[in-house]
């Protein structure tokens, strides 16, 4: 919300025909042994011996998935990559390559795209993935970003959504609802800014919420941890749309039911206090907020001792037979059927 | 340009949250052995043993890459897949899977998306590829389609853009310029339609041009043919932006120069006659028109006997040292340096 009036602006048209791509991709370095050829030909070339590959893709559109009035472009680039990697990790796989396509309208100067790509590169470096291709084109309106991520998984280690069995435990990583509350804070501050552009917002009390919204991380660490603990989940999904949607996906695809315990849902103290401030129910936020990018998975009860002391994991529910339903067990011990919300992608 | 006022219209919102994806993807059948899991999880899972993979992606945007006033949605879906496959074949690889993401505004009813997907499915069937994932989201304005294609290539058979050597021959498949002239016809008819909506255009004399513009094919057949002929090109690229751009790409990446013979450029009779009708130079059309999706490659002279009698191939030039330049040798035997035009993607 703080505009730098002296920002350098280079028109995209100044770069000439092929200059933009060269300019934006010149620093990409290959990190993965499986990347034989990255950017610069008709297609990237990858090589994997005796491994399965996973592929996932996401489309992010200005005005639908992000609002540039409060999302810095560098963060947007970072997030665009991370949300795709999250889908790879949700297969119990390790992400290795991405392709990134962008469409931009003339209102974006080169420096804006550089910021976006700086975020993309930062994510690639932190998650140790190669950027192996993409497409850059003009758009008639805003900015859009399409990312496809590729990952690898050894032997039969991949975990689908359809393997949950009755009596399995439902486990979630991290905590939920913070990204959604971060968005509420940003939207509130945007309204304040419209009224008084000189007002400097104090976002310090909401630092965790801001970070979860603007710079989410994918749980690569959990895939390593599960391997170290010798736990192979029976089913797994990442939480992009909200806990309730994801539980329904796991249950429907596994043909099981579930009891989710409201009292067990992990919430950060900032989520609880900000929900009080906004007078909204924190369970509703955790169930429907989305953008947490935590992993939700089921394990056989035999694996419980391996995860129970670990602060990364919270057991939040119990898998039942399909005809027993998908229910929230409230703090008052009543059962309420869980309903999904949101718009869904094919692989998400 | 002929509108059916009785078209059935189902609002996308009527389908419920996850209904759209299920509806659009329910008929996708897995054809490739390497597709372990397609649509329906966080990511697709692929398995390739001892093979290299190629990956390429393209973004098509309404108002930039297509105009729905004269492109039927089914054709658009078909073309969106085919242009990506073309990049896979340009690596001397065989396409195996695609992911397809679309963003649509509310103005599109379900039936429009069904048409689009019908085209996508038709391409998948004809080219024997699996649709293994994607993302479907709303857009604030028009339609956009992002396709990522994956292919496989055995041993060291992949062909890059950077392998051309002095004395190699420059070869092109099929003929050039027809897709561009098809677009000129469509744009002319659109203007006529604006003035008189009852006018029924007679497109029969331009049937080949129409087909090349609206329903281009990727040269999968050429990859098989080259294999059968035991010809491995030294470099290869597909012609998406126009012959001149692609020649420059090959030459720059291979660090060579080239003489392109104007008199050798293959043109369909309809291109020649329509260029006369529009009073434009057919060589300019072939050089800069684009969207031909033919393959442009170089071969060592030793391989010339293998291809010379084949009607699929035309030798159009000769590779020189880099400092001899990249030139068009005109019919009048003068040399003109070739310049690129157009907007370029990372892998295209």
């Amino acid at each position: 919300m703080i505009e730098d009036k002296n920002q350098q602006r280079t028109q995209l048209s100044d770069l000439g025909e092929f200059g933009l791509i060269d300019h934006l991709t010149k620093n990409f370095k290959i990190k993965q042994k499986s990347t034989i050829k990255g950017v610069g030909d008709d297609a990237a070339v990858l090589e994997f011996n005796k491994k399965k590959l996973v592929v996932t893709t996401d489309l992010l559109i200005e005005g639908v998935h992000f609002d540039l009035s409060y999302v810095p472009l560098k963060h947007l680039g970072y997030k665009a990559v991370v949300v795709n990697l999250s889908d790879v990790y949700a297969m119990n796989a390790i992400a290795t390559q991405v392709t990134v396509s962008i469409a931009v309208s003339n209102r974006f100067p080169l420096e804006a795209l550089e910021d976006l790509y700086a975020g993309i590169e930062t994510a690639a470096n932190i998650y140790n993935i190669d950027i192996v291709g993409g497409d850059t084109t003009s758009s008639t309106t805003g900015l859009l970003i399409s990312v496809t991520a590729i990952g690898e998984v050894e032997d039969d280690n991949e975990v689908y959504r359809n393997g949950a069995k009755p009596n399995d435990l439902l486990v979630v990583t991290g905590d939920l609802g913070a990204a959604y509350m971060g968005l509420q804070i940003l939207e509130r501050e945007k309204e304040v800014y419209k009224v008084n552009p000189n007002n400097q917002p104090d976002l310090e009390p909401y630092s965790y919420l801001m970070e979860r919204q603007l710079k989410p991380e994918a749980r690569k660490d959990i895939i390593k941890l599960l391997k170290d603990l010798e736990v192979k989940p029976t089913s797994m999904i990442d939480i992009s749309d909200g806990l309730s949607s994801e539980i329904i996906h796991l249950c429907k695809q596994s043909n099981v039911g579930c009891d989710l315990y409201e009292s067990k849902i992990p919430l950060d103290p900032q989520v609880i206090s900000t929900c009080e401030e906004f007078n909204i129910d924190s369970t509703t936020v955790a169930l429907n907020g989305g953008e947490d990018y935590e992993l939700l998975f089921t394990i056989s009860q035999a694996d419980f001792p391996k995860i129970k002391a670990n602060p990364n994991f919270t057991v939040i529910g119990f898998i039942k037979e399909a005809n027993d339903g998908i229910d929230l067990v409230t703090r008052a011990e009543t059962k309420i059927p869980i309903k999904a919300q949101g718009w869904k992608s094919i692989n998400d």
Side-chain angles (χ1 to χ4, degrees), chain A:
Chain A
M1 274 161 285
I2 302 131
E3 221 178 308
D4 176 1
K5 302 286 187 195
N6 296 317
Q7 262 193 328
Q8 197 188 340
R9 287 182 69 92
T10 307
Q11 295 300 315
L12 292 183
S13 51
D14 295 348
L15 277 173
E17 298 144 10
F18 307 113
L20 177 61
I21 292 296
D22 291 346
H23 181 86
L24 294 174
T25 63
K26 64 174 184 262
N27 296 321
F28 293 174
K29 282 185 190 64
I30 286 180
K31 294 174 279 291
Q32 290 284 343
K33 210 179 69 173
S34 55
T35 307
I36 308 296
K37 172 84 179 180
V39 170
D41 215 294
D42 297 284
V45 179
L46 317 179
E47 185 171 41
F48 294 89
N49 266 2
K50 295 179 189 172
K51 277 182 182 169
K52 288 200 183 103
L53 289 185
V54 304
V55 182
T56 179
T57 191
D58 262 315
L59 202 53
L60 297 178
I61 295 174
E62 185 180 353
V64 178
H65 300 99
F66 57 87
D67 180 338
L68 289 176
S69 63
Y70 50 69
V71 179
L73 280 160
K74 190 173 171 180
H75 284 74
L76 181 64
Y78 189 87
K79 184 168 176 174
V81 171
V82 164
V83 302
N84 264 272
L85 302 185
S86 181
D87 281 322
V88 171
Y89 301 132
M91 302 300 292
N92 205 31
I94 291 298
T96 47
Q97 285 92 5
V98 291
T99 64
V100 182
S101 295
I102 56 170
V104 277
S105 66
N106 290 333
R107 75 170 217 264
F108 292 91
L110 174 63
E111 289 72 20
L113 293 190
E114 287 176 336
D115 282 350
L116 184 73
Y117 268 76
I120 290 167
E121 256 191 278
T122 303
N125 290 333
I126 289 179
Y127 288 91
N128 196 37
I129 52 163
D130 293 330
I131 302 163
V132 296
D135 194 10
T136 304
T137 184
S138 54
S139 113
T140 47
T141 51
L143 174 67
L144 66 95
I145 311 171
S146 174
V147 178
T148 298
I150 294 168
E152 59 176 65
V153 55
E154 270 173 81
D155 304 328
D156 288 319
N157 275 331
E158 78 268 26
V159 174
Y160 297 106
R161 294 177 179 176
N162 63 6
K165 298 272 175 295
N167 300 319
D168 280 357
L169 300 175
L170 183 69
V171 185
V172 70
T173 61
D175 53 70
L176 303 177
Y180 178 81
M181 290 315 295
L183 186 63
Q184 303 315 305
I185 297 290
L186 287 168
E187 287 186 345
R188 183 177 70 182
E189 295 306 324
K190 186 183 172 183
E191 293 308 310
V192 171
Y193 176 81
K194 279 183 191 163
V195 177
N196 179 5
N198 294 318
N199 187 58
Q200 284 286 336
D202 176 18
L203 299 176
E204 183 55 35
Y206 312 108
S207 55
Y208 180 66
L209 310 183
M210 291 299 101
E211 198 186 313
R212 293 284 281 179
Q213 170 57 228
L214 295 176
K215 195 167 172 289
E217 301 294 350
R219 301 306 307 259
K220 180 183 181 184
D221 58 327
I222 297 294
I223 303 313
K224 184 175 183 307
L225 182 57
L226 288 171
K227 195 179 175 190
D228 291 347
L229 294 172
E230 296 179 356
V231 174
K232 186 187 171 193
T234 53
S235 70
M236 185 152 61
I237 193 169
D238 76 318
I239 301 178
S240 52
D241 289 344
L243 181 61
S244 60
S245 286
E246 317 305 355
I247 286 179
I248 289 169
H249 278 300
L250 280 193
C251 288
K252 296 253 159 159
Q253 293 205 24
S254 297
N255 194 29
V256 294
C258 180
D259 276 343
L260 167 68
Y261 293 90
E262 182 181 17
S263 62
K264 303 289 185 190
I265 298 172
L267 301 170
D268 185 84
Q270 275 188 16
V271 170
I272 296 169
S273 61
T274 313
C275 282
E276 280 169 7
E277 190 185 333
F278 278 71
N279 200 23
I280 49 179
D281 178 49
S282 58
T283 301
T284 306
V285 166
L287 284 174
N288 302 318
E291 296 199 281
D292 295 307
Y293 302 107
E294 295 294 342
L295 294 170
L296 177 73
F297 58 92
T298 53
I299 58 169
S300 122
Q301 289 203 24
D303 281 335
F304 177 63
K306 298 180 189 167
I307 67 143
K308 78 173 170 183
N310 198 304
N312 287 290
F313 303 120
T314 310
V315 177
I316 57 172
F318 182 78
I319 301 299
K320 312 182 284 189
E321 297 289 344
N323 53 18
D324 290 335
I326 306 171
D327 299 308
L328 177 71
V329 182
T330 68
R331 288 194 183 83
E333 299 280 321
T334 56
K335 285 193 181 184
I336 304 170
I338 295 174
K339 292 207 173 77
Q341 298 195 346
W343 177 268
K344 194 62 190 145
S345 68
I346 299 181
N347 301 126
D348 198 17

